[in-house]
Amino acid sequence: EMFESCKRDITVAMMRNYPQLLRKFMSDKAKIPYLLEIIVHMNLEIYSLKRQDQNFKSAVLLMKEAFFKHGEKEALRSCVKAVGFCATESRGELQDFALNKLKEIEDELIVKLKSAIKEVADGDDEYSLLVNLKRLYELQLSRQISIESLYKDFAETLKDFRSIDDEVIGFLLLNMHLHACWCLHSIINCDTVPEQSVSSLISKRSTLFKLLESFLTTESMEGLRANHLACRVCVILSEQWCLFRKATFASTELEALGYSPDEFILQKFWKLGEHQLHISDETEEDDYNREYIEETNRVAVIIAVAKLVAVEAVPKEYLAPEIVSHFAMHGTSVSEVIKHLLTVLRNKGADVARLFLEALKRAYQRYLVALSSDDDNSARRTFQECEDLASELAKTFGKAAKNKHRSDVLNIVTGGIQYAFSDAPEHLSFLDGAVLHFISKLPPPDIMDM
């Protein structure tokens, strides 16, 4: 009740002056996001009760103006939030007005995007395309927009103009991804399964996957922008694979929508993701002012990869050990994500001993590769990484729970010894680098029996 009273007071105090404030600070990039969001703290019904319809309409028109005047993330997000609030929380004629203006925003944006795509095709600057793609992205985060014809234009642009800026490529892919998500949402929420819609979505998904898979390479990646695009590709693919995982649609009318990547694509996906994990924190910090940076760093990548295993969107036999092998390599943020994944897998009854042993083998194999390259520094570093991994994994069994985890630890030790002697003397250092850290977790009788 007090909250509603405060909203009423804010509305009465602001509704006459609100359009003036928006108009006065329309060009101020710093202030306009905060001013736009004032309206979400207001009671819009009071506009009708106080006969302030014109002030409401003026405010909505200024929101629309701000949307096309600014191209920064915060301003765009605030515009979408404000106009969306007006379209849902107002009543009667005012709601109709807000909905019409929202539709006008969508229609005008589509026209601008088509024009910008043509400009790029004609060899002009990409800025207009980028800023309008950002606008579309922010709109699609909150509502479904009909961009059927644009979807094809986006795909053709990505196929025909691979030399365009990586940020533009990223937002083209993002908007295609969100459109596919909304299409699936519509199908799932239909009372009857529309076959044509399902076929259309499968076709769109296939187009998107082919484009994303074409970026699964580390060969030509240079600079920060390329790294951010690689992160985008990893995250979008992960989201799509999770969204369309076969288990979700098995034994339903929508079974045709189920999807799982083949092993070759999954391996390419991991190699690209693994490459991103090795990007230093210093490199990321140099770019901290970049918009959407939180969506394109190595933490976002490890979350995306771990999610695939956690929800069983892909077979965990290959990906889970690869992820766990990086447990001690990339700092606290990454290790915390992997630790959470281990908890999920344990709760699902995963074979922890086998997982840990395979992860240790992957880490050790990186050492063997470095050793064969005659790079002493790299060899020392990768062997230390293997030791660090073994130490951290051993700690997950705790100190006082030897009986509880005895079987897992014993399997790791015996499996590790077998692996070390399977290719002696080349693999014998695996005993020092990995197995030794687990032996201390075993009861003395088990150690004596080896």
Side-chain angles (χ1 to χ4, degrees):
E1 190 173 315
M2 183 180 293
F3 179 71
E4 289 301 320
S5 177
C6 289
K7 285 183 70 173
R8 179 184 176 85
D9 292 343
I10 292 171
T11 308
V12 172
M14 288 295 300
M15 59 185 176
R16 287 183 175 85
N17 297 324
Y18 188 49
Q20 297 172 23
L21 279 171
L22 290 175
R23 194 174 290 110
K24 180 178 180 180
F25 295 101
M26 179 62 69
S27 299
D28 193 319
K29 295 179 182 180
K31 291 186 175 68
I32 197 66
Y34 300 104
L35 290 173
L36 285 163
E37 291 200 28
I38 287 175
I39 200 154
V40 303
H41 304 290
M42 296 164 68
N43 184 339
L44 301 188
E45 290 183 7
I46 296 176
Y47 274 95
S48 298
L49 295 173
K50 297 288 185 179
R51 297 183 179 179
Q52 294 294 316
D53 295 25
Q54 192 54 50
N55 279 324
F56 176 86
K57 292 178 180 179
S58 296
V60 173
L61 286 170
L62 288 164
M63 292 171 193
K64 177 185 173 183
E65 180 183 336
F67 183 78
F68 287 111
K69 186 178 185 66
H70 294 278
E72 302 80 25
K73 171 187 172 182
E74 295 305 322
L76 292 175
R77 195 156 288 185
S78 295
C79 281
V80 172
K81 186 176 180 180
V83 178
F85 182 81
C86 291
T88 55
E89 298 301 319
S90 56
R91 296 291 179 267
E93 182 187 340
L94 297 187
Q95 186 175 47
D96 291 340
F97 181 84
L99 286 169
N100 285 335
K101 294 306 156 188
L102 186 54
K103 184 64 169 63
E104 285 179 13
I105 287 174
E106 295 173 8
D107 293 343
E108 288 180 30
L109 181 57
I110 289 172
V111 171
K112 287 179 180 291
L113 277 164
K114 284 186 172 291
S115 175
I117 289 172
K118 187 176 184 303
E119 288 174 7
V120 170
D122 292 339
D124 292 342
D125 187 75
E126 300 164 7
Y127 175 76
S128 178
L129 178 56
L130 175 60
V131 74
N132 284 300
L133 284 169
K134 287 183 179 179
R135 288 172 179 143
L136 179 61
Y137 174 64
E138 292 298 334
L139 271 176
Q140 285 205 100
L141 285 175
S142 64
R143 60 189 289 107
Q144 184 170 9
I145 301 171
S146 179
I147 58 167
E148 301 296 329
S149 60
L150 271 179
Y151 194 90
K152 295 178 182 177
D153 292 340
F154 290 170
E156 289 174 3
T157 301
L158 286 166
K159 289 175 185 174
D160 298 339
F161 303 100
R162 293 299 289 267
S163 62
I164 58 177
D165 185 85
D166 285 337
E167 192 173 12
V168 176
I169 293 173
F171 276 98
L172 284 167
L173 292 170
L174 271 175
N175 278 296
M176 294 177 73
H177 160 61
L178 287 179
H179 179 65
C181 293
W182 280 114
C183 289
L184 178 60
H185 179 267
S186 295
I187 290 171
I188 290 174
N189 286 281
C190 276
D191 293 331
T192 57
V193 178
E195 291 185 18
Q196 187 175 354
S197 297
V198 172
S199 298
S200 174
L201 176 55
I202 291 174
S203 175
K204 290 174 182 176
R205 184 184 70 186
S206 177
T207 299
L208 177 58
F209 282 2
K210 285 178 182 177
L211 289 168
L212 288 165
E213 288 165 9
S214 70
F215 291 101
L216 292 180
T217 177
T218 59
E219 292 179 4
S220 59
M221 294 172 50
E222 294 180 4
L224 287 170
R225 288 188 180 274
N227 291 328
H228 288 302
L229 176 58
C231 289
R232 283 277 187 223
V233 169
C234 288
V235 172
I236 293 173
L237 267 176
S238 171
E239 290 295 326
Q240 285 286 314
W241 290 345
C242 289
L243 200 63
F244 290 101
R245 69 189 186 111
K246 287 188 174 182
T248 302
F249 304 101
S251 302
T252 72
E253 293 179 288
L254 299 174
E255 191 163 10
L257 288 174
Y259 180 87
S260 181
D262 62 40
E263 186 176 349
F264 176 69
I265 292 297
L266 184 59
Q267 289 177 1
K268 289 184 70 176
F269 166 82
W270 167 246
K271 291 304 177 187
L272 181 60
E274 185 179 38
H275 184 275
Q276 297 311 112
L277 294 179
H278 287 288
I279 296 173
S280 68
D281 290 332
E282 288 77 15
T283 302
E284 292 174 2
E285 287 170 6
D286 287 342
D287 208 31
Y288 73 95
N289 285 323
R290 184 182 173 91
E291 287 187 318
Y292 304 97
I293 188 68
E294 74 282 357
E295 300 174 13
T296 54
N297 55 32
R298 62 184 178 184
V299 175
V301 170
I302 195 63
I303 290 173
V305 178
K307 184 178 177 181
L308 288 170
V309 175
V311 304
E312 300 178 23
V314 299
K316 63 178 180 290
E317 287 74 19
Y318 166 73
L319 200 53
E322 291 286 359
I323 296 170
V324 175
S325 74
H326 285 260
F327 187 34
M329 289 175 62
H330 308 293
T332 303
S333 297
V334 172
S335 65
E336 284 299 315
V337 175
I338 298 175
K339 187 183 294 184
H340 182 69
L341 174 63
L342 289 175
T343 301
V344 171
L345 293 176
R346 272 189 165 123
N347 291 340
K348 288 186 173 184
D351 187 341
V352 173
R354 182 177 179 182
L355 173 60
F356 282 13
L357 183 58
E358 286 302 314
L360 290 165
K361 289 178 184 178
R362 307 286 170 91
Y364 187 71
Q365 284 162 8
R366 290 196 288 268
Y367 159 69
L368 293 178
V369 170
L371 192 65
S372 65
S373 67
D374 295 325
D375 185 341
D376 292 342
N377 289 333
S378 180
R380 281 193 294 270
R381 175 178 55 79
T382 50
F383 189 78
Q384 184 62 54
E385 287 171 353
C386 184
E387 286 191 304
D388 292 343
L389 174 64
S391 175
E392 291 302 313
L393 291 180
K395 288 177 184 176
T396 66
F397 291 114
K399 294 181 179 180
K402 290 184 178 179
N403 290 333
K404 180 180 179 182
H405 299 297
R406 173 181 171 274
S407 176
D408 284 336
V409 175
L410 189 59
N411 286 337
I412 292 171
V413 172
T414 55
I417 292 172
Q418 289 173 5
Y419 175 73
F421 282 96
S422 66
D423 194 2
E426 184 179 354
H427 287 179
L428 285 179
S429 57
F430 186 73
L431 296 173
D432 289 331
V435 178
L436 196 60
H437 294 274
F438 292 89
I439 291 179
S440 62
K441 300 290 181 180
L442 289 172
D446 287 334
I447 298 174
M448 297 298 294
D449 289 341
M450 288 182 181

